[in-house]
Amino acid sequence: MDTTPGLFNGLAPLLTNRTVIMTVSADANGMLTLTVIPKKVTPDESDALTTPLWITATADELDRTLPNQLREYCAVHGQTASNLQSVKAELAAAEKAERDAADERRARKAKAKTRPCRPRPASSTTSNNNKRRSDMTIRPLRRIFEYAGVRFPDPNEAMSVEQVRGILATQYPEIATASLTGPETVGDKSIYRFERAIGTKG
């Protein structure tokens, strides 16, 4: 007797308090692409909890493996949600430790200063530049795609914007002909916006 959990049994844990969008498309070679996109429960919820699942396979392969893949995806999603608060606390502690270390270095430099005429701007500028370079290293820009007020995380950093447009158009067909603006840098995000094409009167 086959005891493998079905598709919706595998997806059920993710549906407890959340809406999930699922789309399926096929290419000319008969390969199917299935997309599972969890929607945010609250506007300020982490983007990590809306990371989509993308699976491209034949119909037979999806029949065999999809339930188990959904179960593993839901398990990782649940672990991410439960660990999110502790991760935020660890990041805040790391940032505080970095600020404290920088303050201590500045205090040591001020104490070791022996000549009032020693120029400070070069040292201060270098320190600030180094800190900015460090910030850029640990906070790389992440692409976010937006349409009609809905934000979609980057499905694959290696994809071009037009490739991402094609994938999103399977869910929102209007995106295929929408105009594109961006990127707009907001914090550590690089936001691309698809805007519905407006016809002209003639």
Side-chain angles (χ1 to χ4, degrees), residues 138-160:
I138 64 175
R139 294 185 178 90
L141 290 178
R142 295 182 294 114
R143 294 193 304 180
I144 297 293
F145 298 88
E146 183 176 302
Y147 175 70
V150 179
R151 286 190 172 184
F152 304 91
D154 194 346
N156 189 331
E157 294 179 357
M159 287 184 175
S160 69

Side-chain angles (χ1 to χ4, degrees), residues 197-201:
I198 300 177
T200 57
K201 295 182 179 180

Side-chain angles (χ1 to χ4, degrees), residues 38-68:
K39 298 191 69 175
K40 286 190 174 184
V41 176
T42 59
D44 60 347
E45 187 175 45
S46 171
D47 289 339
L49 298 180
T50 59
T51 302
L53 171 66
W54 309 83
I55 304 174
T56 299
T58 65
D60 288 340
E61 289 170 339
L62 286 177
D63 284 340
R64 291 196 306 271
T65 66
L66 181 58
N68 285 333

Side-chain angles (χ1 to χ4, degrees), residues 109-155:
K109 288 181 180 179
K111 186 176 180 179
K113 182 179 178 182
T114 58
R115 291 181 296 176
C117 62
R118 174 183 292 179
R120 293 180 57 189
S123 176
S124 176
T125 301
T126 301
S127 176
N128 290 336
N129 287 339
N130 287 339
K131 187 176 188 303
R132 282 195 293 270
R133 285 195 294 270
S134 176
D135 289 343
M136 291 175 64
T137 299
I138 64 175
R139 294 185 178 90
L141 290 178
R142 295 182 294 114
R143 294 193 304 180
I144 297 293
F145 298 88
E146 183 176 302
Y147 175 70
V150 179
R151 286 190 172 184
F152 304 91
D154 194 346

Side-chain angles (χ1 to χ4, degrees), residues 24-101:
V24 182
S25 61
D27 62 19
N29 297 319
M31 298 295 289
L32 303 182
T33 296
L34 180 138
T35 308
V36 178
I37 306 176
K39 298 191 69 175
K40 286 190 174 184
V41 176
T42 59
D44 60 347
E45 187 175 45
S46 171
D47 289 339
L49 298 180
T50 59
T51 302
L53 171 66
W54 309 83
I55 304 174
T56 299
T58 65
D60 288 340
E61 289 170 339
L62 286 177
D63 284 340
R64 291 196 306 271
T65 66
L66 181 58
N68 285 333
Q69 291 193 58
L70 286 176
R71 184 172 56 182
E72 293 176 5
Y73 174 69
C74 290
V76 172
H77 188 279
Q79 183 179 7
T80 299
S82 64
N83 289 346
L84 188 57
Q85 291 304 319
S86 62
V87 170
K88 286 182 177 179
E90 290 176 5
L91 289 175
E95 290 178 357
K96 182 179 184 301
E98 175 62 23
R99 289 195 301 269
D100 291 345

